[in-house]
Amino acid sequence: KLSNTEVWIEKTGLVNFIKLFLSLNSIMITQITISKKEIISVLLGMIVLVFGYLMISKNLYSGPRIADENQIFKLQIELQEDGFFLTLKNEITSRLGMKRLVPVYNIQKIFFAKFFGPNMFLWSSYSGLLGALSGLLLYVFGRRIGFSITTSLVFSLITILGEQSALWWRILHGEGIGLVLFSLGLCLLAPNRASLKSQIGSVLCFTLAALSKESFILALPAAVLMKVSLPFIIGERPSFKELIKTNIVYSSSLAVICMALILIIKLGLGTTSFQYTGWVGFDMDKFVAIVGQYSATTNFLLVVGILFGGLVIQNFFLKKSSQWSLNVFAVNLGPAIIFFLLLTTPQLLLYMSSGF
């Protein structure tokens, strides 16, 4: 017997998408079970949150909002004159000429230009759906590595809200689909001892994310760290030999892909002509400036302080620990700090040239 929520989903036509995701989720889960009701509830909550904001801010119906979005109308003319495949070829060739390696984003853009036409409501709805899906996948990842429902929701929301919400109210960018793919890659690598099929799927998702936006290439080392540190996160203490044995193929694959993409860009395409991004050498003043800008816009120091304080309270007051245990911080906070630095530092260095 269907619940009222499931009946509503059936009537609104979302059931096929839900079934597809649940079937994928049933393949991924090997240790932690997440109920269908929980997934459906979180998905609907994310959709209400994202689309509620888009409606209140009038971004759901308006557009274009920025100059780049005028490409939608230009593409309609090209699609009529040249057809789908020639337009796609020209788009990829044009991006390569600009020294950009984003074929997944190119394919997505031309496909939906053909499918949505110049309808800004459909474009905004799709972008909003990517934001909601990213939130759901990040929540599922949190749950699958042992986070509580509350912690998983907080983790998901602080990732998609704030300055980064531009990913789901703007339309033409590679970060939206890239974040969905990257989040799915995280879901597939967790929990520990994921099946071979899940690990292959995870590597594929991370690769497609990297081909959606070059910034994700620099996030691949963080994904490797997450895979290696998973046993410690869920409370296991594997030997060094076991750690190498269970991670060597996965980690090596991502490392090779990361280096290959960097070499293709560096030696094949060359550096871009964009002034706001790209490696131009290290400059301490600019690096300090962009770290300050990042801190001001994200309040990450406040968030880290709260998390650190919570860990102290949990381990030394609530558990009434009799000694200051560095091991507690090394195991519980160490991987998180390194993961955070591996994610953010390359991005700060990438945009250091302008502080953008």
Side-chain angles (χ1 to χ4, degrees):
K1 184 178 179 180
L2 296 176
S3 65
N4 293 333
T5 301
E6 291 170 326
V7 169
W8 183 85
I9 290 175
E10 186 83 43
K11 289 181 179 179
T12 55
L14 290 174
V15 68
N16 291 329
F17 170 77
I18 297 293
K19 287 180 177 178
L20 175 63
F21 182 81
L22 291 179
S23 65
L24 176 62
N25 191 60
S26 65
I27 294 174
M28 294 189 296
I29 294 176
T30 58
Q31 292 179 335
I32 301 173
T33 301
I34 308 172
S35 69
K36 294 181 180 180
K37 181 179 179 181
E38 182 179 342
I39 292 177
I40 292 172
S41 299
V42 173
L43 175 61
L44 291 178
M46 292 294 176
I47 289 175
V48 169
L49 173 67
V50 170
F51 280 82
Y53 171 81
L54 290 176
M55 291 180 66
I56 292 173
S57 63
K58 299 181 180 180
N59 279 296
L60 188 60
Y61 307 101
S62 62
R65 280 73 56 90
I66 59 176
D68 284 352
E69 295 177 3
N70 286 310
Q71 295 178 57
I72 293 173
F73 304 100
K74 179 175 178 289
L75 286 172
Q76 303 309 308
I77 299 174
E78 295 179 9
L79 285 166
Q80 290 180 0
E81 295 179 351
D82 301 328
F84 177 82
F85 291 104
L86 182 56
T87 302
L88 176 59
K89 177 185 175 182
N90 293 337
E91 175 68 17
I92 294 176
T93 302
S94 173
R95 290 288 169 170
L96 291 174
M98 298 166 63
K99 301 178 181 180
R100 301 294 305 278
L101 187 65
V102 287
V104 172
Y105 165 63
N106 297 148
I107 293 171
Q108 174 201 234
K109 184 167 86 169
I110 302 304
F111 175 81
F112 286 109
K114 177 72 173 178
F115 187 68
F116 292 155
N119 190 316
M120 300 306 293
F121 171 76
L122 293 178
W123 279 99
S124 296
S125 297
Y126 171 68
S127 188
L129 183 61
L130 289 180
L133 188 54
S134 296
L136 172 66
L137 290 171
L138 290 169
Y139 171 85
V140 171
F141 170 66
R143 294 287 286 136
R144 299 193 69 219
I145 62 174
F147 287 175
S148 67
I149 291 177
T150 301
T151 303
S152 298
L153 280 174
V154 172
F155 166 67
S156 174
L157 292 176
I158 63 176
T159 303
I160 67 171
L161 297 179
E163 295 288 328
Q164 55 272 33
S165 64
L167 297 188
W168 43 267
W169 64 257
R170 288 183 55 183
I171 293 175
L172 291 181
H173 54 78
E175 291 91 342
I177 187 65
L179 182 58
V180 170
L181 291 166
F182 195 88
S183 302
L184 182 56
L186 290 174
C187 287
L188 286 167
L189 70 80
N192 191 33
R193 297 189 183 90
S195 68
L196 177 62
K197 185 185 296 185
S198 294
Q199 292 189 56
I200 293 173
S202 177
V203 171
L204 178 60
C205 286
F206 285 135
T207 304
L208 293 175
L211 293 173
S212 301
K213 177 74 173 183
E214 298 93 339
S215 300
F216 286 104
I217 298 175
L218 302 180
L220 295 182
V224 172
L225 173 68
M226 178 56 66
K227 178 67 170 65
V228 173
S229 61
L230 268 176
F232 301 96
I233 293 174
I234 64 176
E236 297 182 1
R237 298 296 181 268
S239 65
F240 181 76
K241 182 178 179 180
E242 183 182 358
L243 201 62
I244 295 297
K245 181 180 178 181
T246 55
N247 291 285
I248 185 67
V249 175
Y250 181 93
S251 300
S252 298
S253 299
L254 272 187
V256 168
I257 291 170
C258 180
M259 290 304 301
L261 292 175
I262 290 175
L263 289 174
I264 288 173
I265 293 174
K266 182 64 177 178
L267 303 179
L269 297 179
T271 56
T272 68
S273 58
F274 297 110
Q275 295 181 352
Y276 62 84
T277 185
W279 178 251
V280 293
F282 184 78
D283 185 308
M284 179 58 74
D285 291 337
K286 289 185 177 180
F287 184 73
V288 171
I290 196 172
V291 169
Q293 184 188 38
Y294 177 72
S295 303
T297 56
T298 62
N299 292 317
F300 86 92
L301 290 177
L302 175 62
V303 174
V304 171
I306 292 173
L307 294 176
F308 186 84
L311 188 62
V312 171
I313 293 172
Q314 178 185 5
N315 287 281
F316 301 111
F317 292 95
L318 298 182
K319 291 185 178 181
K320 301 184 184 301
S321 176
S322 59
Q323 61 180 358
W324 181 271
S325 175
L326 292 178
N327 182 59
V328 170
F329 286 90
V331 173
N332 291 288
L333 203 60
I337 292 175
I338 299 173
F339 182 72
F340 170 77
L341 292 175
L342 278 178
L343 270 178
T344 56
T345 304
Q347 307 301 324
L348 295 175
L349 291 173
L350 183 66
Y351 288 95
M352 183 177 62
S353 59
S354 65
F356 179 74

